[in-house]
Amino acid sequence: MHSPPSIQISLPQPQQHRHHVHVHVHANAPLFFLNSPLLFLSHYFNVLMGKTKIFNFFANGTSNYMLPTSNTIRQSLVNRPSSHKDCFPFSRFGFLRRFIPSRKVNGGSKTEDEEKVYSWLYTLAQTDKNLVFEYVRSTERGLSFTEAERRLRENGPNVPLEYSFPRWWHLLRNALFHPFNIILIVLSVMSFIARDSPNGFIMLVLVFISVTLRFYQEYNSSKAAMKLSEFVKCPIKVQRCAGRVVQKELVVQVDHRDVVPGDILIFEPGDLFPGDIRLLSSKQLVVSQASLTGESWTTDKTADIREDYTTPLLDLKNICFMGTNVVSGTGTGLVVSTGSNTYMSTMFSKVGKKKPQDEFEKGLKWIFYLLISVMLVVVTTMFVVNYMTSLDLTQSVLFAISVASVLNPQMLPLIVNTCLAKGALAMAKDRCIVKSLRSIRDMGSMDILCIDKTGSLTMNHAIMVNHLDYMGLPQEKVLRYAFLNSYFKTDQKYPLDDAILAFVYSNGFRFRPSKWRKIDEIPFDFIRRRVSVILETEDRHSQFFGRFMVTKGALLEVLKVCSFIENFDKDEICLFSSDDYQRILNLSEDISNEGLRILGVAIRKLEMTQTCETSNGSKREDEDIEKDMVFLGLITFFDPPKDTAKQALWRLCEKGVKAKVLTGDSLSLTTRVCREVGISTNHVITGPELELLDQDTFHETVKRATVLARLTPIQKLHVVQSLQTVGNHVVGFLGDGVNDSLALDAANVSISVDSGVAIAKDMADIILLEKDLNVLVAGVEHGRLTFGNTMKYVKMSVIVNLGSVISLLIATLLLKYEPLTSRQLLTQNFIYSVGQIAIAWDKMDEEYVKTPHKSSERGLFMFILWNGSVCTLCDVATLMLLWFYYKAYTDVTQKFFHSAWFIKGLLLQTLIIHLIRTEKIPFIQEVASWPVIFSTVLTSAIGIALPFTSIGKVMGFSLLPLSYFGFLLLLFLGYFVVGQAVKRFYILVYKKWL
């Protein structure tokens, strides 16, 4: 036979690769390439322009077998050196990419990497199994040992993802060079230069706390995706050829890391697939794809089929994927993709991607940049004015540093982390392990919770519902024989057997198994998918006298061995007709649409001497005895929802958190469970349907849908990203499987359970020790309390600090001396800052915790603009009083002015928290928690008493008249009145406060 003609194409490469690529296309290769030259050329140029290690699809004389893939989405985790592979040709432009925000989300469309993998696998799935060798340049004998070693050197080890962890000093550098830390470090250095060591040490301690916390979190999160290696750690049998003259096929065992494209894999039950495989032969092959889909059901695979593009990728019958495993059957397959080019690796390449900054972090950065800007202008101005007035350089520098220190919210990291740690301890009492403190704050902002059905909403164990004949009517005889089968089988008890036994015992049926005797058993296997037991009874007074074989299992497999059917209405056994078969299928479809699982039950009466052994004692084939059976009926099961699920979902809904179900299970089963727990099923969709949508339709569908079933891991990721970017939601995700890891990694709040797989727990921010959604309700409450208290301090400290500095600037310009000395200013700031730590133990208004809240840059700016002006107005009023009433503008009254300004500033800063912390009228409609009240009283007492002590004399304070304290009382009353009026107008305009 002549070999088919070939097409030789020679294309030039770019200048840096000055040699030719000879592309060999087999004439019988799929028309996908031959009939579309433009598409073929586009693939070629994608190869030339690939951003990572280049894999030429048809390179002659090499093993570069696949379309190119890009791993740029892992750049935040994998610290790869910059090169020409970056989109920007020069590193200086690449650096600018860090400042270019991007909110693009792929939605329903695939990324470039996914599209290449999909195209490659679909092409092989459509190709005849005898022609697939051409694509990976292999033979039916397999690769030679020399060629396999060469390909291994060229392509590298077969690992899912090529991880190169960032060095610890890179993580430390990222944690250190934060705007807030830079401010503190600069001020600390300046303090040491100006011989103000105590203040310098305090700032360095705060920097150390902030850097340590961030470094610890980033170092731990960077290692999460390494758990993927668990799925491929096993020896692999491959077929290799050896011999120089006459080549012979040898079956050898190699490590999974040494498998290369073109290897012929030999597999049996229990084996893991080390790469993406195109089946060459199969015998009753059953594969579990739970690692990719999350479904516990198995899928049949066969080599003798040619698929098309209408079949979903994970449903391809002739393709097996890396990380999946053989349940039963045997076969051989051609390795077509390994390492980072497999479907699983493309899918999990998104693992470890740095989450985008939330609005709170963006707001903090905006505040830092605002403070730096104000600091550069105001502090410089005050330094110049003070120096021109005093002509004392050291004193002017110390005063400028003190002002800059006042402007900086020094206690921010301590108070933020104290609030978060307090929330973590509260959640620990509810049996939650909080791994990421940030997640507690995000839970307060969370407005959508995506959950997987299995185990989250349901009890994760089946209960029996009914026992029906072929007409759909309950029949006790069906239950009797199903019970006997489950009672006497010994090979392995399954949860469905326990459900049948529990149903019989709890409903008072008396089937008297003691009257029966077990003769033999044909155990369950994944090929037959049924179990048979042979029983007999010698009770001649019973209608069930004799020896029977009772078979129970998957409905279609039971129907295969049935030749008769029992008609209970006529009390007779009839031949099994095609009408009966269709009626049973229709009945099972209706039952499945209600979310129930089904088992078939059949019996056969045997001769008293008939068993599973022949007369000479050898084993009879199962098919010899499992035949000509009488079909009795169906047993239905249901995985019931948890008793607490409906209540928890209702409580979440009351708090403004909507639930969406994202699962790999069937739509019918999912919708039934959702109806049981109160989740709307008016808008439902499946993964294959999402696959067909364009990007805009995808986003709109995701927004409306409450139930999304049969989703792949990548689709779960796209749904979460769509809700975050297009929907502008804060998304939580609850999952415990490998297939949930992508969505967990992308979600703002990722939640897993203690029984989840390792990678899911590593990805999770919060781990539940119990699968109870009520714990999440408590977590949302803790999160909103934490978020609210954090926002109190952030907004209050910025208002107070900016107002104080602006007031100091005004006073400096008017007076001939400093409004406060550097020592007085730092003391005032220290006492005030320490007193504000009590905010972490404050409470929130009941109305506040009922709805989710998010921070925003614009909201912070407007809040500061409205309320900061009131604070400055109060300071200016005090300045006018001291200037015009007490004539405190000369050098003689300098100590008096310092004392008055110190006490006023400290009391105002301490009392302002009561105005900011609530929408209501402070001290009348709402009173702060006792720690805040105690802190306010203690701080105020220290501030008032300090000028009257010996320490006050050393610091340069003088005694104040009682009339000044009367003025302060009127001043603060006026401040609260004006501040409350501004608060009401602000709420009226912006519909929110904190």
Side-chain angles (χ1 to χ4, degrees), residues 385-402:
V385 172
N386 188 268
Y387 178 71
M388 293 178 64
T389 303
S390 64
L391 299 178
D392 188 335
L393 180 62
T394 302
Q395 179 183 341
S396 300
V397 170
L398 283 174
F399 181 68
I401 293 175
S402 302

Side-chain angles (χ1 to χ4, degrees), residues 198-359:
N199 192 44
F201 277 118
I202 291 174
M203 295 181 187
L204 287 181
V205 169
L206 295 175
V207 170
F208 176 78
I209 293 173
S210 176
V211 171
T212 302
L213 289 173
R214 185 174 178 186
F215 171 77
Y216 176 77
Q217 291 181 358
E218 290 193 359
Y219 182 76
N220 284 340
S221 64
S222 68
K223 298 186 296 183
M226 282 302 291
K227 295 296 179 181
L228 289 174
S229 60
E230 295 177 0
F231 300 112
V232 289
K233 284 186 176 179
C234 61
I236 306 298
K237 291 181 181 179
V238 297
Q239 178 178 301
R240 300 271 173 88
C241 58
R244 295 186 177 181
V245 180
V246 179
Q247 290 192 332
K248 296 181 179 180
E249 295 86 6
L250 299 176
V251 176
V252 295
Q253 187 167 282
V254 300
D255 186 80
H256 74 279
R257 295 169 57 90
D258 298 332
V259 175
V260 297
D263 268 333
I264 295 178
L265 181 68
I266 301 170
F267 48 82
E268 56 190 20
D271 287 346
L272 285 172
F273 290 107
D276 291 341
I277 309 296
R278 171 56 165 96
L279 293 178
L280 301 176
S281 66
S282 60
K283 181 179 180 181
Q284 298 177 325
L285 180 61
V286 179
V287 173
S288 171
Q289 298 185 154
S291 60
L292 301 180
T293 65
E295 296 184 25
S296 58
W297 309 111
T298 57
T299 180
D300 297 328
K301 297 285 186 176
T302 180
D304 300 320
I305 190 174
R306 294 179 64 176
E307 296 281 8
D308 55 46
Y309 274 96
T310 60
T311 306
L313 183 70
L314 295 180
D315 292 340
L316 294 175
K317 295 294 185 183
N318 56 9
I319 299 291
C320 296
F321 301 92
M322 170 185 270
T324 61
N325 63 283
V326 180
V327 175
S328 64
T330 58
T332 61
L334 181 67
V335 179
V336 296
S337 302
T338 59
S340 59
N341 300 295
T342 58
Y343 171 77
M344 187 181 82
S345 298
T346 303
M347 179 176 71
F348 285 106
S349 63
K350 299 174 177 62
V351 167
K353 183 180 179 182
K354 186 176 181 180
K355 296 181 181 180
Q357 285 187 336
D358 58 16
E359 295 298 329

Side-chain angles (χ1 to χ4, degrees), residues 104-119 122 309 312-313 343 346 350 690-695 698 712 714-715 718:
K104 182 178 178 181
V105 63
N106 290 323
S109 61
K110 305 181 186 70
T111 64
E112 180 183 357
D113 291 344
E114 294 167 15
E115 191 63 53
K116 291 171 183 175
V117 171
Y118 273 57
S119 299
Y122 272 115
Y309 274 96
L313 183 70
Y343 171 77
T346 303
K350 299 174 177 62
L690 281 177
E691 196 78 25
L692 304 176
L693 302 180
D694 60 67
Q695 195 159 306
F698 175 88
T712 65
I714 292 179
Q715 288 175 329
H718 288 165

